[in-house]
Every structure is written in C-alpha cells, then in structure tokens.
Amino acid sequence: MRCRLGLKECPKNDAGILRCFPKIEQPFGMVIFGASGDLTKRKLVPALNRLFEAEILPERFFVLGAARTRMGDEEFRSRFNTQPDLLKRFSYTRVDYQNPDTFKSLKRVVDDLMKRFGVRNLIFYLSVPPDVYVPIIENLSKAGLNTETSRIVIEKPFGKDLKSARELEQVLQRSFGEHQIFRIDHYLGKETVQNILVFRFANFIFEEIWNNKFVDHVQITIAEGIGVEHRAGYFENTGLLRDIFQNHMLQILALITMEPPSSFNGESFRSERVKLLRSIRPFPVEDLENWIVRGQYGRGTVNGRVVPAYREEPGVSKNSSVETFVAMKLFIDNWRWSGVPFYLRAGKRLPKKVTEVAVVFKRIPHSIFPNVPSKDLEPNTIIFTIQPNEAISLEFQVKRPCPGMTPQLLSMDFRYEDYFGVKLPDAYERLLLDVILGDTTLFMRRDDLEVSWELLDPVLKAWESDPVRFEPHIYPSGTWGPKEADLLIERDGRRWRRP
Ligand SMILES: NC(=O)c1ccc[n+]([C@@H]2O[C@H](COP(=O)([O-])OP(=O)(O)OC[C@H]3O[C@@H](n4cnc5c(N)ncnc54)[C@H](OP(=O)(O)O)[C@@H]3O)[C@@H](O)[C@H]2O)c1
C-alpha cells in the first residue's frame, strides 16, 4: 500500500517516520504562555525540534516564550537542548497573565516578530495552570491578538466540573471560533491510539465481531508506577477521576466503541465520537459504590523500594481524601453494545506503567475435548497496548504438542518497533503538526467536554456531598488497587487481567 506521498515503506533514518512528511509552506508564529515551565521543556520544544530536524517546519516561523519569570532571550534559549538553527528563532518576553497592560507590550513584540518573519498565522499555546486560562484569553482579546488567522491551544484539565468547563467555553467562544480552538488530549496524538481506528475500520474481519453478539466485556487500564511526584499541588485539587477519566479514558473508550464515521475528516469523526459518549449510561448515584471504586495509595514497596503513602507525600494534606485510583463499570446503551460491561481502571503507584485495552470475547458454547470444560478455556482476547511497548496481540487456543488434545492459550503479537524499526513519534509531534496545519480532527470539540462532564459531574458531586461514605479505600503501593476494585468485576464472574 502506497502512502499519500507514493512511498511503499516508511523511511528509516534519524528522524524516523516523520521524515516523509512534506515541508509546510505557510509561515507561522507560536507564542507559548508559561514557557518557563515543565511542559514546554519536556514536550513542546523537543517536539518542535523533531519537526525541525525532519525538515517539516516552514522556512519562516518563530517561537516566542511568554511568562512571568524574568529572563532574556539568551537565558530562555539556554534552557533547551535543540538544533542551534532552531534556537535562533526563539525569543522571550515577560507577561503578567492578569495584567492587560503587559498584553499591549506583548502585542508590540508579536507585531515586530510577525513583520520580521513575514508571518500572518499565530498560535497561542496555553502551557500554564488552568486557573490562568481565562485571564489570558480575555487579555489576548482585549489586546486584539485574537485575529481571524490565530489559533489557540489549551491543555487539560478543561475546567474542574461541568459549570467551570462551561464558563471556560463561554470565554473561549467569545474570543475564538471553534475551528481556531485546539483542546489537546495528548492520548489522541499517540500512534497506537490512532491505530485503533485503522485496526477497526481498515479490516473487515474484526469489525464484524465488534459487538455484543461476540464481545463478552472490555477492560481498559491506565496504570502508572509512579506516585504524585512533584505535582501534589495540582493533584490535590484535581484527583484521578478528573485527571485521567474525563479525558484520556473516555477518549480511548470512544475510539474502541464508536460507529464508523463516513470519513476520517474533522467533523464526521468527532461527531461519531461524541455520539458514542452520549450513549454511556449515567451512573446511579444512590448505588454508586457498586459502580465506581475510589482508592488512594498507602505505603508499600515498588521495585524493592519502600515508598511513602499519598498522605505522606510533600505538599499533600495529612488527611487528604483525594483519590489516586478509580475503577468503574459502565454500560453503553446502544444497539451495538447493549448488555456488554466495560471495566475501566486507572491509578498511581500500581505495579507498573502500562496502558492497555483488552477486548475479551465470549467463551466457546461447548467443549468437545474430554476433561476440558469450556469454562476452563480462556476466551479469545484482542489487546491494544498503548504504552509503553506499543503492540497489538491476539490471544487464542492452540494444541499442545503432546499426545491427547490439550489446548493452551498463546498470544500472537505485533510490536510496532519490531516491525517498522522506527521509534514512534511523541504524541506532541503529531499534535503540534496538526495545530500548525489547522487540522482539528484529533482534538476535542466543545461537545466532547460537555458530554464527558455531564457523565462525571454527578459522581464528583456525590463524592463531595458525602465524604465519609465515599472515603477512598487505601491500597498498598505496588499493588493493583483496593480489593473493592477486584470485587467490582468478580461479582460479575470476571476478573481483571494482569497486564
Ligand atoms: N507537564 C506535563 O507533562 C503536562 C502534561 C499534560 C498536561 N499538562 C498541562 O499543561 C499545562 C502546563 O503544564 P506545566 O507542567 O508546564 O505547568 P507548570 O510547569 O506548573 O507551569 C507552567 C508555567 O506557568 C506559570 N505558573 C505556574 N504556576 C502558576 C500560577 N499559580 N499562576 C500563574 N502562573 C503560574 C509558571 O511560569 P511563570 O511563573 O514564569 O509565569 C510556570 O513555569 C498545565 O495546564 C498542565 O495541566 C502538563
């Protein structure tokens, strides 16, 4: 199969698969708010560097860092380990996000850079804590920087609940059109997440069995081995449900279960995704414990090292009841998925870092093999490993090479790196490229947010209104969460996979 450039294979070189993307012609300028911070250093600038090395970025572009920290251009440049030719295009200016006057100065700096680089298209990247999204957007607007040719990128979390998400949206929509707004959920930029779509919609044989006639249940796990690390301030105000479920988890669920869009263009794909999210059955608040389990990590041992409890971490309240683990069961009320349970779990300080989706098929109805009851035959399972070792596996039964007819489960694995021989690009490379190209397909739409908050808001309200009843269950660090999470699935005669 030839790609859009007519290539039969992805070129294998230093820049990996990015090398085959044509150079962008349209010049652009990117203003990064909060450019003194972690995301800029760890993700945004390395992604820009890879796009630059792959000769994808246009001849004319600039990057302007904007934050409260006092520093000059040279100090700003010295923070990054990138191509010198890229750094030449970097400069820095101080802004106070709350102060409209500093945005007037920002406009002068931006106008000057736009003239120097011959740029009309501006990208504003809000790489700051969510509390300052609103003042930045309002001040951009007051300074007249929200022109027709500008775009704005915002990072999760998009609000704290339905009300604050709506307020943020109102401010955004007053200043920018929907086609100018790029709400990043970086999971959608991952190759393996996008591959779920190719697997489902470029193959006939799987789509035919992708429904309640064949699928017994689906499990999604987003596990982290690490604890809260240096993000206690953020996490104490957020918790795991908002941090992982409102965005990454629901987006993965939607890609696994959505109907085929008529084409992979922005609106048709995004509309099917939202339609699916709308079909998720609301959680019964009166009986919430039987649907959602909250957990928080206690002390434990990870890789032979004794680690502190969440409440003992620096910056965390001694009696914090913030959840670091959530397991839930949900149903999708539509023709395709009616009756199929979805078990989702995510947490910190679990035994390892892994994100996987397991589509578990029904057991065979009757075993013809003596002494092997069908209940002992593990069902077929298709597993998408999204990180860290990106892969797709199919588990099926084979005959053991011995006298008799003894089945054994084995796994047929496709590993991205083994087959393509290239390092997969970081999600931010793909997403920044799409922002520069103005393609919103892989970004969340306003109604994505609305629907996901409508689903989770009643849960958060119930937790807040009765903290004693919903006190998180403590689980030892280095385990797969509290025993209540096991009961959630075992009550239904199933069990969690051990990824
Ligand atoms: N880091 C990640 O891996 C990651 C991943 C996904 C999403 N995100 C999201 O991306 C955004 C940026 O993340 P980050 O990790 O880069 O954040 P960060 O390092 O905590 O903050 C970025 C910059 O924002 C400014 N800032 C910090 N606290 C502030 C406050 N209370 N009020 C006003 N300004 C403040 C600081 O710059 P000045 O003091 O110089 O103004 C800081 O350098 C956040 O919304 C985060 O949730 C981050």
Side-chain angles (χ1 to χ4, degrees), residues 33 97 103 126 132-143 146 152 154 168-176:
F33 290 100
Y97 313 120
F103 279 71
L126 270 49
V132 278
Y133 289 171
V134 167
I136 293 178
I137 298 163
E138 285 176 338
N139 283 330
L140 280 174
S141 186
K142 278 185 199 148
N146 58 331
I152 185 156
I154 58 170
L168 171 62
E169 280 304 322
Q170 272 172 8
V171 175
L172 263 173
Q173 306 279 338
R174 270 204 298 272
S175 302
F176 295 93

Side-chain angles (χ1 to χ4, degrees), residues 33-44 66-71 79 92 94-98 125-133 136 154-157 184 186 230-231 234 238 243 248 428:
F33 290 100
S36 52
D38 178 69
L39 185 74
T40 307
K41 187 170 169 62
R42 279 195 318 110
K43 293 289 179 187
L44 304 184
R68 298 171 307 178
T69 302
R70 288 183 190 280
M71 66 179 142
R79 293 174 165 239
Y92 181 84
R94 223 191 135 245
V95 285
D96 175 351
Y97 313 120
Q98 312 277 354
Y125 201 117
L126 270 49
S127 182
V128 283
D131 303 353
V132 278
Y133 289 171
I136 293 178
I154 58 170
E155 280 282 348
K156 66 148 195 149
I184 282 204
H186 71 265
H230 60 278
R231 296 178 77 214
Y234 162 76
T238 311
D243 194 39
H248 309 326
Y428 278 92

